[in-house]
Amino acid sequence: MYTDVVMEHITNPQNVGELADADGVGEVGSPACGDIMRISIKVEGDRITDARFRTFGCAAAIASSSMATGMVRGKSLIEAWAISNADVVDALGGLPPAKVHCSVLARDAIRAAINDYRTRQGLDAWEMGSCGCCGGSGCGSRPENG
Ligand code: FES
């Protein structure tokens, strides 16, 4: 059912926990299943230097958050925003169709954390559904996979 990469992240999840001195925290719940994911990020300049997660959800959600927190580390805020759930699924080598929504949770938790950082800085929150090509400022573009 799950790829070897997914199984590795399920049995040995990376970046578990919370950053006590987080610059941004995002918590989202899945309307599909009620599971909850919380991601905290550390930002220096325009870059995410650290990211941790706590996920109260299924194995696919844990694998998605483990992978996604690793993917955003070292990326600029715009680059991290532009990571789609399809990118997370690809990095995991695929997810069963019924579990793709779990990767959406990871994307949204990262975006929520970025927006929390922006709000703390006195900046406007980016539109959650935007693709990031314009820095979330509202060009209307949307990634194919939502
Ligand atoms: Fe709820 Fe996967 S089934 S996040």
Side-chain angles (χ1 to χ4, degrees):
M1 177 178 180
Y2 288 126
T3 67
D4 290 345
V5 179
V6 173
M7 289 306 299
E8 172 60 26
H9 280 273
I10 291 171
T11 55
N12 185 26
Q14 307 293 302
N15 314 313
V16 178
E18 299 212 29
L19 295 167
D21 56 349
D23 296 310
V25 179
E27 184 172 303
V28 295
S30 169
C33 62
D35 293 345
I36 294 172
M37 188 182 296
R38 181 180 172 92
I39 287 181
S40 54
I41 58 173
K42 190 84 190 137
V43 180
E44 286 178 24
D46 186 37
R47 292 211 171 259
I48 295 174
T49 56
D50 205 356
R52 302 293 165 91
F53 79 91
R54 287 226 183 270
T55 293
F56 305 96
C58 72
I62 291 169
S64 294
S65 42
S66 174
M67 177 60 80
T69 45
M71 289 170 75
V72 299
R73 190 174 288 121
K75 287 198 165 54
S76 71
L77 294 174
I78 289 178
E79 289 168 342
W81 186 274
I83 293 173
S84 69
N85 73 293
D87 293 331
V88 176
V89 172
D90 286 349
L92 289 169
L95 280 176
K99 290 293 179 181
V100 169
H101 75 269
C102 316
S103 65
V104 175
L105 212 53
R107 179 205 63 185
D108 286 352
I110 286 167
R111 291 185 168 196
I114 290 172
N115 270 344
D116 183 47
Y117 167 77
R118 288 182 58 82
T119 303
R120 293 187 196 191
Q121 302 301 310
L123 302 167
D124 290 337
W126 286 338
E127 186 190 343
M128 283 296 278
S130 66
C131 66
C133 70
C134 59
S137 60
C139 70
S141 299
R142 289 178 188 281
E144 272 181 29
N145 294 294

